[in-house]
Amino acid sequence: MKAKKVIVIGAGMGGLAAAIDLARLGHQVEVVERAAAVGGKMRQVPVGDTAIDGGPTVFTMKWVFDGLFEDAGLALDDHLALLPATILARHAWCQGGNLDLFADRDASAEAIRDFAGPADAAGYLAFCKRSASIYETLRGPFIASQRPNPIELVARVGFNKLGAMWETAPHQTMWGALGTYFRDPRLKQLFGRYATYCGSSPFAAPATLMLVSHVEQEGVWRVDGGMAKVAQALESLAISQGVTFHFQSDVERIETRNGRVSGIALTSGVTMQADAIVFNGDISALGRGLLGPDAVPAAKPVALPQRSQSAITWCATATTSGLNLAHHTVLFSDDYKAEFQDVFARQRPPQAPTIYVCAQDRDDACTPPDRPERLLILMNAPANGDSQTYGPDAEAQAKESAWSMMANCGLRLSVDHEQATTPQGFNALFPASGGALYGRANHGPMASFQRPGARSGIAGLYLAGGSAHPGPGIPMAALSGRLAAARIQTDFLTD
């Protein structure tokens, strides 16, 4: 097959993975990115005299990236220094109690036994078995494959395995399912939080998302040098395969001819022709006309009620006291349901938020550095950044809620420098998203099937990133790029 010209719009995980595979297959690939560097949501925020990871902080599903490098004849471990975590996360509650989860399942069960009693320790082990079963059922047929419809998924799993499909529990809420395993409401909060990894509420998300727990049990890694090193490793791999990058290049419109993409025009006036285009941005940007009128039929925008959560984050350098932070620490309020009612129903930052803190200078010894440490502090927020103004008063109120919550859990901060980002800021970074960090919320049994697959509604235009199948998160976005590349190759061969 003659080499084709492919343009990738956006250098996030999905765009980078697609570019790598397409170049490896012999195509001419150019990546156009409006920022000054690769990474997309995997960004670093300058704070004082340092830089802090301001996006994803958890590296899982290493097999996705091993496969990407191995298919190019290389090894991930030669290009990225990954440090296996023994402590997955530390948890604390304002009503009292601290609990660490460990990479060692038996160590976690013992910690839960000390925390909540033997019944919940046994429930945890049963929960682990269930989450592993769900993951194994869906990994090949759904997560790592082109987006199916429900009937196709059943066929892929196998009609002789209907019991395994039933065990994925799409018609049961995650919160409801957790009651089967845990009596202590704090444990339901802890494991319900896995729904937020997809930007969703555990009170509306399907129990299927329990599989996220197994993803962590298979391995969580810290990245030596910070998460930006992941994007840089993929950039280097892409360049080795022949990919060309154009940074600080903003796409004004996608152009079509006879119902098929023909190229792009940049705001600088430069035009570029293409046989195919991969769009690695929020799909709503297409449907809302931000890439020009020709691209509007490509994807239906996600309306506000269906959007996933956004966040308010603070990248800060601070001295901490009280609660000893792990690399990942979660601080829970005493009214979990109210938090999601605020975010999804009332469309406001939660009055009593759960707070996530990534202490980026700490390893598994949890020893603070001998200087102000780098922290990412995150609270959930509604994805209304395109309709709601977050001015100084709103930022101050959110900060007061977050800092009060941390203090109630025993954590005190003395901040040297900080940089806040609100849903309004995230919407500016990722246009048309409203600040939604995970695309569509996974609410209801059919939500996972409502994400678009690799093919868009326009011939020659393909979708990658967290708002497309298989969903959000570093490895899932990378898989979306690989799926887009595979679909393009198939379509090139059949054209």
Side-chain angles (χ1 to χ4, degrees), residues 192-213:
R193 185 176 173 273
Y194 286 121
T196 68
Y197 283 35
C198 301
S200 305
S201 163
F203 299 93
T208 313
L209 293 184
M210 291 192 296
L211 65 83
V212 178
S213 176

Side-chain angles (χ1 to χ4, degrees), residues 60-61 135 143 210-220 475:
T60 59
M61 293 172 66
Y135 177 74
I143 295 173
M210 291 192 296
L211 65 83
V212 178
S213 176
H214 183 72
V215 167
E216 286 201 337
Q217 289 161 15
E218 282 203 326
V220 172

Side-chain angles (χ1 to χ4, degrees), residues 132-187:
S133 173
I134 295 172
Y135 177 74
E136 290 305 321
T137 298
L138 297 178
R139 171 179 158 165
F142 185 83
I143 295 173
S145 298
Q146 301 291 345
R147 191 204 68 179
N149 61 41
I151 295 174
E152 288 170 337
L153 178 58
V154 171
R156 289 179 187 177
V157 172
F159 289 101
N160 61 332
K161 296 181 180 178
L162 292 179
M165 277 298 301
W166 180 257
E167 283 291 303
T168 65
H171 295 285
Q172 186 178 18
T173 67
M174 191 168 186
W175 191 260
L178 290 171
T180 305
Y181 302 99
F182 303 109
R183 299 176 183 179
D184 192 311
R186 295 172 298 177
L187 293 175

Side-chain angles (χ1 to χ4, degrees), residues 32 247-253 265-272:
V32 179
F247 294 107
Q248 296 179 312
S249 299
D250 202 359
V251 178
E252 181 176 277
R253 65 183 182 274
L266 305 180
T267 55
S268 64
V270 172
T271 59
M272 302 169 67

